[in-house]
Amino acid sequence: MLNITRASLLATVSALVFQVGGAACAQDVQAADQEQDVGQLDVIVVEGRSFRDPSDSTATKLNIPLSETAGQVLVLNEELYDSLGNIGIADAISFIPGVTNSSSNPNGGGFFIARGFGVNRRNAVRINGAPLGEDILFDQVALGRLEYVKGSQSAAYGQISAGGFINVSLKESPSDAPAGNVRLQGDSWDGLRGEVSYGGPLNASGTLRGFAALSKEESPLYYDGNQTDFSSQAAYGTLGYDVTDALSVDYYLYYSDREVPNGGGIALGADLTDPANPLIAPVNVDRNFFGSGAFASTESELLFNQIVATYDLADGHSLRASYSKVDIDDDLFDSGLFGGFAFGGNFIDVTPGSPTAGLAFAIPGFNVAQFNREVDTTFAELRYGGEFDITENARLNVIVSGEVFRYDADFTQFAIDASALPAAPFPGPPPIIDVFSNPFFSGGNPFLSDPAALGGFSQSEDIDSVSLLASLDLYDRVRLNGAVRHDDREASSFGTNFENSTESYSGSIAVDITEDITAYYAYSEGFEFTTALQCDGSTAPPEENRSHEAGVKWEPNSGLLMSVAYFDNQAVNGLQQIQCPMGSSFPQGSVLIDNEQSADGVEFEIVGQLTPNWNIAGGISYIDDSFGPTLTLPTPETSLNFFTVYDITDGPLAGLSIGGGVRAGWNLDILPESLFNNFANAPLDFAAEGVTSINGVPLADAVNADGQVLFADIIDSDLFEFFVVDALVSYDFTDNLQFQLNARNLFNEKYITYPQINNGNSFGAPRQIIGTISFDF
């Protein structure tokens, strides 16, 4: 049992500050308030796990504790994710209130929506502060902490959307003594996972430290969206060396290889609610999909290297240099019918013997292709940090940073053996394929020949940046923060060159109302570079986003932090796809043009210990007007995520832990009231084809006079509003051996986490029981 005051905790944090890459939130934390009166501070007794990391980070790169930072930053650590059942990174991000992961991909890549805005792909995910250049994610074996930095952060980090970005802080080596862990996990979907890790000091002085971890996972029924047959393996290592008392060097290496066959990406399936007239429906209640609707598979390799050197010049002054290299190699396979199911409205009656039984398969030809994508991303930063005492009651922190970002991607298409394609049209109604078994493709894909390069394209982006950040601390009570940044960019896509430069700004004030309560206001002007042409052939300007945020943070003790914030975000020059008018440079195509977007809302978050034995993490988010006047992104208006665990440390039940949580979403305003039905580029007369109902709704109530399908009338809104319950029980047999049982979606509720019309619904996973054995050595 440890008695830890806030001051001693901060002193410990100061000694454990990560010596890692430039822009990472967690890497910038130092103790700013060690001179506070210990007698006035609360004491927390740490007995069990702790969901709040004592080194929780700031969003500004400045040496300000998270409890005093002017902005919302949610930091969730490894102990929370272990308690949740060692979930994947995609689920980890989805746990953050107000953040939606549209991915139907266990890699996590996809389209993140935060505070009503899509998260910028180039900077959506960072590892130790270094951007991946893509929104692909990786195995949780290397996850130390996940930090969601909310709001526009362009002045500090570059091209960031108004919704914020995600930073993954990699695990560090134990610094005091060698330690290892073996973890075995199985679940009710026949999935198996194994992890082993070991690390600690490598010499007597402790100046050399190392850590390594391996993982292997196989699951025939991995369920994240609509996926099957998932497998992965990952390796992670870190090595740190204190060259002198002033100079330290750290190296990080991570590799993963993931194979994900995706069965049935089209958002169509059997409507079993109307057995007499089973129409193809846009919402697939029972998660069955057409074997010939769409199929895709992905094998992704990710290699991450980072080296960081930190040199202390003098008290309060330092230099930090970091270099990061990311290599991504994706092999993708995609197949599907030409046209056919590419757009909503194709509600064809496939009842045997009906006039349209074979119509869904009357399109001659398959769209079958194999692609390869190679991505190389380089990020380097040189940073100076200085602290200056201006007067006895005024202290100034300054960060000057120079960054270089290089991104190159080559995309190659390969030839397909067309002779292996099935003939069309197909007879009779299409087979309904269970996404879990997907027998149509279980024997491998018959369409691929020895691949020969058919063609491709490349993309590149070079950005040089310089930024200045400053924080003025007055009387240890008021902090004035400001930042300015300049970015120069050259890019190429599909043979078109782009050149842009832009500035971004931010300013904030934080005031300590009491010792434990801080109020703040923050304003920022950010940007996102675009690679698009307008209808007149000119380059689309960078998106400009502006963010207002006001909030209050309360730290009743050193183990618990609560916050509430109001935000109001706006973006101009946002991108929307439309048809160009005749006579323009792109009369036949559609390009991206200006659009205005806005979102405002309220967030509440809580992370840490309610009592020494009782941990909680989560929050509530309410988002209003979550995108623009012509488009609404599919994210819940109200979302709730909480998880709590109570550890029994005394008495006959000592070692037993119980817990649970809820995940909920309401009012997913994601579908238009109606959508023009389109089949083979022509409207379909449902009545003439013998269709009498859609999703069990009589035709007269489902289709208007213009042939538009009334989605609001035919879709079961209950699927878009959900309340999912999770549960946990664990027992420590010894200090080293633990068994844990998790139930995810305990009551097996059917729901959709990310509804789509034309690219496959992402269903929430059915009930899953997960058993984990963990042994420390």
Side-chain angles (χ1 to χ4, degrees):
M1 183 183 301
L2 300 175
N3 292 317
I4 302 178
T5 67
R6 184 183 306 177
S8 64
L9 180 62
L10 289 172
T12 303
V13 171
S14 180
L16 296 176
V17 171
F18 295 148
Q19 303 295 317
V20 297
C25 308
Q27 290 73 16
D28 300 316
V29 182
Q30 293 182 5
D33 298 328
Q34 296 184 38
E35 298 176 359
Q36 295 183 4
D37 185 358
V38 174
Q40 298 177 355
L41 300 178
D42 296 329
V43 175
I44 182 166
V45 180
V46 180
E47 293 183 336
R49 73 193 80 203
S50 177
F51 288 169
R52 186 183 179 195
D53 194 315
S55 59
D56 56 12
S57 62
T58 71
T60 61
K61 301 184 181 180
L62 296 163
N63 302 330
I64 304 173
L66 181 58
S67 59
E68 302 174 3
T69 299
Q72 288 278 73
V73 185
L74 184 59
V75 177
L76 303 174
N77 65 9
E78 180 185 359
E79 288 199 61
L80 170 63
Y81 291 124
D82 286 345
S83 299
L84 287 168
N86 205 20
I87 61 176
I89 300 293
D91 271 345
I93 292 173
S94 299
F95 183 83
I96 301 171
V99 177
T100 300
N101 179 11
S102 72
S103 169
S104 56
N105 186 332
N107 290 325
F111 184 59
F112 298 105
I113 303 170
R115 289 187 168 181
F117 285 79
V119 176
N120 179 275
R121 186 174 185 179
R122 292 285 184 263
N123 284 318
V125 181
R126 290 170 172 254
I127 300 181
N128 281 354
L132 286 178
E134 294 287 340
D135 46 13
I136 188 174
L137 293 177
F138 53 93
D139 192 278
Q140 59 267 36
V141 70
L143 173 65
R145 299 142 47 91
L146 189 144
E147 307 158 343
Y148 194 83
V149 185
K150 299 184 177 182
S152 176
Q153 301 291 332
S154 294
Y157 297 98
Q159 49 179 329
I160 301 293
S161 78
F165 73 96
I166 299 150
N167 181 65
V168 176
S169 181
L170 299 176
K171 290 181 181 177
E172 295 291 325
S173 170
S175 58
D176 50 355
N181 176 263
V182 174
R183 183 187 301 266
L184 298 176
Q185 188 176 74
D187 61 47
S188 55
W189 302 338
D190 297 328
L192 294 173
R193 177 180 175 84
E195 293 182 17
V196 59
S197 61
Y198 183 80
L202 301 180
N203 59 7
S205 64
T207 57
L208 183 63
R209 300 167 299 278
F211 177 81
L214 299 171
S215 70
K216 175 67 176 178
E217 184 171 1
E218 297 284 346
S219 180
L221 302 178
Y222 191 99
Y223 200 94
D224 183 3
N226 304 320
Q227 319 314 330
T228 60
D229 298 325
F230 168 77
S231 66
S232 75
Q233 40 275 326
Y236 168 65
T238 178
L239 190 66
Y241 180 50
D242 298 329
V243 182
T244 67
D245 291 340
L247 176 63
S248 63
V249 179
D250 292 89
Y251 174 69
Y252 302 86
L253 173 66
Y254 171 80
Y255 171 80
S256 71
D257 182 1
R258 295 192 150 206
E259 297 182 15
V260 187
N262 304 336
I266 296 298
L268 301 175
D271 175 20
L272 302 182
T273 63
D274 187 10
N277 190 29
L279 301 176
I280 313 252
V283 177
N284 189 333
V285 178
D286 289 313
R287 305 185 180 98
N288 296 317
F289 289 80
F290 286 103
S292 302
F295 177 82
S297 65
T298 303
E299 181 176 0
S300 296
E301 293 186 25
L302 171 64
L303 178 63
F304 172 81
N305 285 272
Q306 183 182 66
I307 187 168
V308 181
T310 304
Y311 185 74
D312 293 328
L313 298 171
D315 291 341
H317 298 265
S318 64
L319 285 175
R320 173 178 288 165
S322 66
Y323 176 84
S324 306
K325 185 74 165 58
V326 178
D327 295 289
I328 299 172
D329 190 347
D330 285 340
D331 288 316
L332 307 105
F333 170 78
D334 184 43
S335 71
L337 289 169
F338 281 124
F341 307 116
F343 198 61
N346 301 319
F347 306 101
I348 310 302
D349 183 359
V350 295
T351 305
S354 71
T356 57
L359 185 57
F361 288 84
I363 302 174
F366 260 75
N367 177 19
V368 182
Q370 184 184 24
F371 304 96
N372 174 260
R373 182 183 65 167
E374 295 183 359
V375 177
D376 296 318
T377 302
T378 302
F379 177 78
E381 181 189 27
L382 179 62
R383 182 195 301 184
Y384 161 78
E387 183 175 316
F388 304 88
D389 291 325
I390 299 176
T391 68
E392 182 179 351
N393 296 310
R395 186 168 59 251
L396 178 68
N397 288 324
V398 174
I399 298 289
V400 180
S401 174
E403 299 176 6
V404 176
F405 174 83
R406 300 287 184 265
Y407 171 89
D408 292 287
D410 293 314
F411 195 81
T412 305
Q413 182 176 355
F414 295 95
I416 301 298
D417 182 6
S419 64
L421 299 180
F426 293 88
I432 300 298
I433 302 299
D434 186 342
V435 67
F436 285 140
S437 57
N438 204 3
F440 187 76
F441 291 106
S442 61
N445 196 292
F447 306 145
L448 297 181
S449 64
D450 294 332
L454 190 64
F457 63 90
S458 62
Q459 291 180 314
S460 65
E461 191 169 27
D462 296 343
I463 303 176
D464 299 320
S465 312
V466 60
S467 61
L468 171 65
L469 298 88
S471 176
L472 180 62
D473 192 337
L474 301 175
Y475 297 94
D476 286 328
R477 197 172 187 88
V478 178
R479 287 165 299 284
L480 301 174
N481 301 328
V484 59
R485 181 185 179 102
H486 176 83
D487 290 82
D488 282 317
R489 176 234 200 185
E490 295 181 359
S492 176
S493 181
F494 296 96
T496 303
N497 296 322
F498 302 85
E499 291 187 15
N500 307 86
S501 63
T502 188
E503 285 74 38
S504 47
Y505 311 90
S506 69
S508 65
I509 180 172
V511 180
D512 295 336
I513 305 300
T514 68
E515 182 183 349
D516 303 325
I517 300 176
T518 298
Y520 69 88
Y521 167 77
Y523 173 77
S524 59
E525 295 185 7
F527 72 96
E528 291 185 76
F529 286 125
T530 64
T531 303
L533 297 175
Q534 301 185 94
C535 289
D536 61 2
S538 62
T539 300
E543 176 185 295
E544 301 174 10
N545 53 66
R546 304 179 181 93
S547 177
H548 298 267
E549 183 177 326
V552 177
K553 297 185 177 183
W554 180 33
E555 189 181 26
N557 58 59
S558 59
L560 181 66
L561 180 63
M562 290 180 280
S563 63
V564 60
Y566 168 78
F567 63 88
D568 185 356
N569 297 337
Q570 182 183 27
V572 296
N573 299 333
L575 300 181
Q576 181 185 359
Q577 194 170 27
I578 69 164
Q579 186 77 27
C580 288
M582 295 299 294
S584 70
S585 299
F586 305 96
Q588 305 301 322
S590 55
V591 297
L592 299 170
I593 66 163
D594 294 354
N595 184 32
E596 293 188 5
Q597 307 144 19
S598 64
D600 62 292
V602 178
E603 295 170 334
F604 168 76
E605 295 174 352
I606 179 171
V607 178
Q609 293 178 309
L610 295 172
T611 71
N613 300 67
W614 185 10
N615 274 271
I616 189 170
I620 303 173
S621 173
Y622 171 81
I623 301 173
D624 187 27
D625 295 331
S626 58
F627 210 55
T630 59
L631 179 64
T632 299
L633 290 183
T635 187
E637 183 179 77
T638 304
S639 61
L640 179 149
N641 294 78
F642 281 102
F643 196 81
T644 184
V645 176
Y646 186 82
D647 299 309
I648 301 174
T649 56
D650 298 311
L653 297 179
L656 179 67
S657 299
I658 55 175
V662 294
R663 294 170 283 140
W666 292 278
N667 300 326
L668 281 82
D669 183 17
I670 52 87
L671 292 174
E673 291 184 3
S674 62
L675 189 67
F676 189 71
N677 82 80
N678 177 27
F679 187 78
N681 298 318
L684 180 68
D685 187 339
F686 292 104
E689 299 296 341
V691 176
T692 60
S693 66
I694 298 179
N695 266 28
V697 177
L699 192 64
D701 298 324
V703 180
N704 64 18
D706 296 324
Q708 293 177 316
V709 178
L710 303 176
F711 279 100
D713 295 336
I714 69 169
I715 291 180
D716 183 3
S717 61
D718 290 342
L719 287 173
F720 304 118
E721 298 184 1
F722 55 90
F723 191 90
V724 177
V725 177
D726 302 323
L728 165 149
V729 60
S730 68
Y731 185 74
D732 296 334
F733 292 99
T734 68
D735 291 340
N736 296 359
L737 180 63
Q738 180 196 62
F739 174 75
Q740 180 171 303
L741 195 66
N742 288 84
R744 304 274 291 166
N745 193 357
L746 180 63
F747 300 109
N748 201 33
E749 180 173 344
K750 294 179 179 179
Y751 67 101
I752 295 176
T753 59
Y754 182 88
Q756 300 181 67
I757 298 174
N758 65 336
N759 195 28
N761 294 311
S762 294
F763 287 92
R767 178 172 52 237
Q768 181 185 25
I769 307 299
I770 306 169
T772 306
I773 297 176
S774 179
F775 179 72
D776 297 324
F777 62 91

